[in-house]
Amino acid sequence: MGAIKISRRQFVKLAGTASGSLLLPSGSARAAEGRLRLPLHKAIGEAPSICPFCGVGCGLIVAAQGNRVVNIEGDPDHPINQGSLCSKGMSTAQLNTVDGKINPRRLQTVKYRARGSNRWEVKSWDWAMDEIAKRVKATRDQHFIEKDAEGRTVNRLEAIASLGGAALDNEECSLISKAMRSLGLVYFEHQARI
Ligand code: SF4
């Protein structure tokens, strides 16, 4: 019979289940009492994610309760970091939660400051998307270069640049590249490479 393959994460889960059942008192009343003291089903959801800080792209396990992140640790099954995180990755939870409360510095709405204005206005996402599309089109219409100084067809746009982030995955990078190249962009960078 072949050996049973088990991942480190599955092993930890099984070990937790086994030790949990050893800790529970026997008998339904005592078990119920034990459950009150040792809740077996926490209202905490765990989800895999990727550290947003640099191009290494370490895997995270994010535990959230409602809209609060209560814990983030390295994903032991992730092939890049295998459970480890640097100090920046370990502090990722603070992007969402500080001292048990939603980080007050976290922006949750679109903020817009008009040209020449000294105050921020709250806008909707629909408004922001329309505004971005309008400005991209106007800039492209005004600055698109069909031919260079020697008369060669270049079809490029030098008035807009695109800057990606380390949290983007391969598929997102592929889609963004295609969208930007289709506009004619040539200034195209990634935050983790700068
Ligand atoms: S910042 Fe640290 S934890 Fe985050 S991806 Fe880079 S090396 Fe990994």
Side-chain angles (χ1 to χ4, degrees), residues 51-58 60 81 84-90:
C51 175
F53 285 125
C54 88
V56 176
C58 295
L60 309 172
N81 55 317
S84 65
L85 291 176
C86 76
S87 53
K88 271 171 72 177
M90 284 162 69

Side-chain angles (χ1 to χ4, degrees), residues 161-165 168 173 176-177 180-181 185-194:
S162 170
L163 182 64
L168 299 171
C173 286
I176 291 171
S177 301
M180 296 302 119
R181 297 289 186 218
L185 260 72
V186 286
Y187 299 127
F188 205 64
E189 252 304 350
H190 190 281
Q191 150 262 334
R193 221 168 64 102
I194 294 174

Side-chain angles (χ1 to χ4, degrees), residues 57-183:
C58 295
L60 309 172
I61 300 286
V62 180
Q65 197 163 28
N67 63 353
R68 276 186 315 117
V69 171
V70 294
N71 185 51
I72 289 185
E73 58 193 56
D75 183 349
D77 289 338
H78 198 281
I80 290 174
N81 55 317
Q82 298 177 4
S84 65
L85 291 176
C86 76
S87 53
K88 271 171 72 177
M90 284 162 69
S91 68
T92 317
Q94 293 168 13
L95 293 174
N96 172 275
T97 309
V98 173
D99 295 332
K101 299 194 180 83
I102 295 290
N103 187 338
R105 291 195 179 89
R106 184 182 166 83
L107 294 181
Q108 301 193 44
T109 55
V110 173
K111 297 276 195 300
Y112 171 69
R113 196 182 68 176
R115 185 182 299 172
S117 170
N118 63 355
R119 67 184 186 90
W120 294 97
E121 299 167 47
V122 175
K123 298 284 189 184
S124 71
W125 280 104
D126 284 346
W127 180 91
M129 297 304 278
D130 286 350
E131 197 64 24
I132 291 167
K134 215 162 58 187
R135 292 180 188 211
V136 166
K137 180 170 186 327
T139 305
R140 188 173 186 274
D141 288 349
Q142 191 181 345
H143 296 284
F144 192 72
I145 303 167
E146 278 185 39
K147 296 195 186 291
D148 67 8
E150 278 80 46
R152 291 174 296 214
T153 301
V154 289
N155 287 334
R156 68 181 179 227
L157 176 62
E158 298 177 0
I160 300 179
S162 170
L163 182 64
L168 299 171
D169 59 30
N170 285 347
E171 290 73 21
E172 288 164 335
C173 286
S174 172
L175 287 173
I176 291 171
S177 301
K178 285 174 182 159
M180 296 302 119
R181 297 289 186 218
S182 71
L183 291 171

